[in-house]
């Protein structure tokens, strides 16, 4: 099945002349490094003193990854092409290379002080090419095969900065996700870039870390999809990324794709620091260390911010119990030894549904008529109550305000166990990027309220 891609919305914009923050950067050795506001916001030098993602492989299921980019040399494994093109390190669209640079870019030049640096600069990238051109369909069968390959070839995190924003995931895709989850792999996917109220699939599937995008002030990007099932949000607005298809080697983009890559990189850092944790327990650390920052009054999970904005350093340093092996998001059921998925799932989609429809069609006529009558009566009561409130209430129309009621099955969780955002650790280890620090308001460095308050 073809699907609409969850891609960054401005991926073709050149970096040259772009200004990401409201204040001009201070002069430094490299303009590209100056524009990476995420590194400054997270004070990544302190985190890199703990780990840089050593020993962890992140699979990038995308348009390929060009390992010849100077900021990615030595980080990109051979990978595999699933499009018939033959080369996973050929990236015509440029998207996969960009996502890889946000995850494991290491910079270049003297002391690697120039170019792109990802959040996990020593993680390895396994490029799995499922698209060639930007307008190619994102086929379930193709990316599902790539996901299985990633699992079988040592990936501990799978980055899906692609997704289906127009329909559901087919059995092949669901089975591939279940396969990865059953074999201890963290799967991260973008929520979508339509500004809609439904999280795209496969991000919306059980156990998948679904990611929305926020800007440099920690506010939700207006095109980021929201809704039940959103797990986390991460920086995704005006993000610099590597792109060998451009003359200057870099581009500028906004989208949940970029945010997804940052969450995948954070997962890689946690897996490197805590190799004994299961995939579910890694996800638990990502969720428990996230924060709503300056957004007050939100309850986790929130339909716009999920469990909060990722905080890489806190994901590594906070005292968080391991929790259940399956983690807080649960998992998809596999067809192996299960009554769901695979051929059984197909049977449920066919004969079982047919039986249910046949059964419903035989309901007694009296019961149907009685049900309609009940609806009419209840509707009349509701109408009377609402009219009475309008006439007798003190607030007038719209005085209720507040947050609209959540959808079916949406149960905000209590804030117990979510901790205050401590002050950032002192700079140490990896060289501090120069540029935007201190010149623009950054809530990432602020003391936020308790997540559930």
């Amino acid at each position: 099945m073809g699907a609409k891609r969850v891609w960054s919305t401005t991926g073709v914009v050149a970096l040259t002349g772009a200004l990401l923050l409201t204040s001009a950067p201070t002069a430094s050795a490299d303009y590209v490094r100056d524009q990476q506001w995420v590194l400054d916001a997270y004070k990544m030098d302190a985190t890199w003193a703990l780990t840089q993602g050593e020993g962890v492989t992140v699979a990038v299921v995308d348009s390929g990854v060009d390992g010849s980019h100077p900021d990615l040399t030595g980080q990109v494994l051979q990978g595999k092409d699933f499009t018939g093109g033959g080369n996973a390190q050929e990236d015509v669209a440029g998207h996969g290379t960009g996502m890889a640079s946000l995850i494991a870019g290491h910079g270049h030049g003297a002391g690697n002080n120039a170019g792109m640096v990802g959040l996990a600069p020593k993680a390895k990238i396994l490029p799995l090419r499922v698209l060639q051109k930007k307008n190619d369909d994102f086929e379930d069968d193709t990316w599902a095969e790539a996901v299985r390959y990633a699992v079988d070839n040592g990936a501990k995190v799978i980055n899906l900065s692609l997704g289906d924003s127009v329909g559901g995931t087919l059995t092949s895709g669901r089975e591939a996700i279940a396969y990865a989850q059953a074999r201890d792999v963290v799967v991260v996917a973008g929520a979508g870039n339509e500004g809609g109220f439904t999280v795209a699939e496969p991000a919306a599937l059980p156990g998948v870390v679904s990611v929305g995008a926020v800007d440099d002030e920690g506010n939700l990007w207006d095109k980021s999809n929201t809704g039940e099932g959103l797990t986390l949000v991460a920086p995704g607005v005006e993000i610099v990324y590597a792109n060998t298809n451009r003359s200057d080697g870099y581009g500028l983009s906004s989208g949940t794709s970029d945010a997804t890559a940052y969450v995948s990189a954070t997962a890689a850092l946690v897996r490197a620091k805590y190799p004994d944790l299961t995939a579910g327990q890694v996800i638990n650390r990502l969720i428990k260390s996230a924060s709503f920052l300056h957004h007050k009054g939100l309850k986790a999970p929130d339909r716009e911010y999920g469990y909060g904005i990722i905080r890489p350093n806190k994901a590594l340093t906070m005292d968080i119990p391991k929790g259940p092996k399956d983690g807080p998001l649960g998992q998809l059921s596999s067809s192996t030894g299960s009554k769901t998925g695979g051929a059984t799932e197909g049977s449920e989609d066919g004969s079982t549904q047919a039986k249910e429809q046949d059964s419903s069609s035989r309901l007694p006529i009296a019961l149907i008529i009685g049900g309609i009558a009940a609806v009419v009566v209840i509707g009349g009561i509701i109408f009377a109550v609402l009219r009475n409130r309008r006439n007798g209430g003190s607030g007038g129309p719209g005085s209720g305000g507040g947050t609209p009621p959540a959808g079916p099955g949406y149960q905000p969780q209590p804030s117990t166990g979510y901790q205050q955002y401590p002050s950032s650790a002192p700079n140490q280890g990896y060289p501090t990027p120069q540029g935007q620090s201190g010149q623009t308001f950054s809530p990432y460095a602020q003391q936020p309220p308790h997540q559930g308050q």
Side-chain angles (χ1 to χ4, degrees):
M1 178 176 114
K4 208 173 168 185
R5 289 157 304 283
V6 180
W7 273 17
S8 305
T9 59
T10 55
V12 297
V13 178
L15 174 62
T16 305
L19 194 60
L20 300 189
L21 299 178
T22 55
S23 300
T26 57
S28 71
D30 184 68
Y31 179 77
V32 173
R33 184 64 59 83
D34 286 342
Q35 305 309 304
Q36 296 169 58
W37 63 266
V38 176
L39 303 182
D40 291 324
Y42 281 131
K43 300 189 182 300
M44 286 304 299
D45 52 303
T47 299
W48 289 326
L50 302 172
T51 179
Q52 296 180 37
E54 303 91 334
V56 177
T57 297
V58 180
V60 175
V61 180
D62 214 293
S63 59
V65 176
D66 189 342
S68 69
H69 192 286
D71 297 337
L72 284 169
T73 54
Q75 298 304 102
V76 184
L77 304 175
Q78 181 177 353
K80 185 175 180 179
D81 178 89
F82 293 86
T83 69
N87 185 6
Q89 293 203 22
E90 180 184 9
D91 186 7
V92 177
H95 190 263
T97 302
M99 299 307 101
S101 70
L102 300 181
I103 296 168
H106 53 51
H108 65 272
N112 286 336
N113 285 325
M116 276 298 308
V117 176
L119 296 192
K122 289 188 178 179
K124 294 293 184 181
I125 297 295
L126 179 65
L128 302 175
R129 191 183 191 206
V130 297
L131 298 169
Q132 289 188 27
K133 299 178 181 179
K134 184 175 182 180
N135 294 325
D136 288 349
D137 284 334
F138 183 46
E139 300 285 349
D140 284 61
D141 291 343
T142 305
W143 68 257
E145 187 179 356
V147 166
R148 288 178 177 271
Y149 182 91
V151 175
D152 294 340
N153 286 271
K156 301 304 291 182
V157 180
I158 296 176
N159 185 84
L160 290 167
S161 288
L162 297 164
D164 180 356
S165 59
V166 294
T169 304
L170 297 181
T171 298
S172 58
R174 296 177 69 90
E175 282 293 299
I177 297 295
Y179 185 81
Q181 292 172 345
R183 287 157 181 80
D184 196 40
V185 178
V186 177
V187 182
V188 188
N193 300 332
E194 294 74 43
F197 301 104
T198 302
V199 175
E201 291 193 5
L205 296 178
V208 177
V209 181
S210 56
V211 185
V214 292
D215 61 19
D216 63 326
E217 294 187 350
N219 297 321
L220 189 72
W221 181 49
D222 59 359
K223 294 182 180 179
S224 182
N225 285 10
T226 61
E228 184 179 357
L230 184 67
T231 310
L232 295 165
V233 290
V237 179
E238 295 184 319
I239 304 297
V240 180
Y241 67 99
N243 187 349
T244 48
N245 296 329
R246 303 204 62 83
S247 59
D248 58 3
Y250 300 93
L252 180 68
S253 67
S254 294
T256 60
S257 286
D258 309 82
T260 299
Y262 280 136
V263 172
S264 291
T266 304
L269 293 174
V270 175
R271 302 221 82 163
K273 180 79 163 55
Y274 301 100
D276 61 319
L277 295 184
T278 66
Q281 290 167 341
V282 169
I283 294 172
N284 183 57
R285 288 196 74 89
L286 298 180
I287 287 176
K288 294 294 179 62
S289 59
S291 174
F292 290 131
L293 298 178
H294 58 292
H295 300 285
K296 298 180 179 180
L298 303 184
K299 300 287 186 180
D302 180 71
R303 296 178 70 85
E304 293 187 339
Y305 292 86
Y307 289 90
I309 302 170
I310 61 160
R311 297 189 295 166
N313 186 270
K314 304 311 168 195
L316 299 178
T317 59
M318 287 177 67
D319 183 11
I320 299 172
K322 289 183 178 181
K325 290 184 178 180
D326 288 346
L329 302 182
Q331 295 183 355
L332 276 172
S333 297
S334 172
S335 61
T336 304
S338 171
K339 294 184 179 180
T340 61
T344 305
E345 181 175 331
S347 174
E348 290 180 359
D349 290 341
S351 61
T352 302
Q353 287 186 2
K355 291 177 182 178
E356 291 175 351
Q357 292 173 357
D358 181 65
S359 175
S360 64
S361 67
R362 297 177 182 176
L363 289 173
I365 298 298
L367 180 59
I368 295 174
I369 295 175
I372 295 173
V375 170
V376 172
V377 172
I378 293 172
I381 294 173
I382 293 174
F383 175 79
V385 171
L386 291 176
R387 184 174 64 178
N388 180 62
R389 287 183 177 177
R390 290 193 187 102
N391 294 335
S394 59
S399 63
T403 304
Y410 176 65
Q411 298 293 333
Q413 301 299 314
S415 61
T416 304
Y418 293 92
Q419 304 182 29
Q420 294 275 357
Y421 185 43
S423 300
S424 300
N427 296 341
Q428 52 181 315
Y430 204 89
T432 304
Q434 301 295 317
Q436 306 290 354
S437 279
Q439 296 202 12
T440 302
F441 170 70
S442 174
Y444 293 87
Q446 305 299 310
Q447 186 83 8
H450 191 283
Q451 191 179 52
Q453 295 180 348

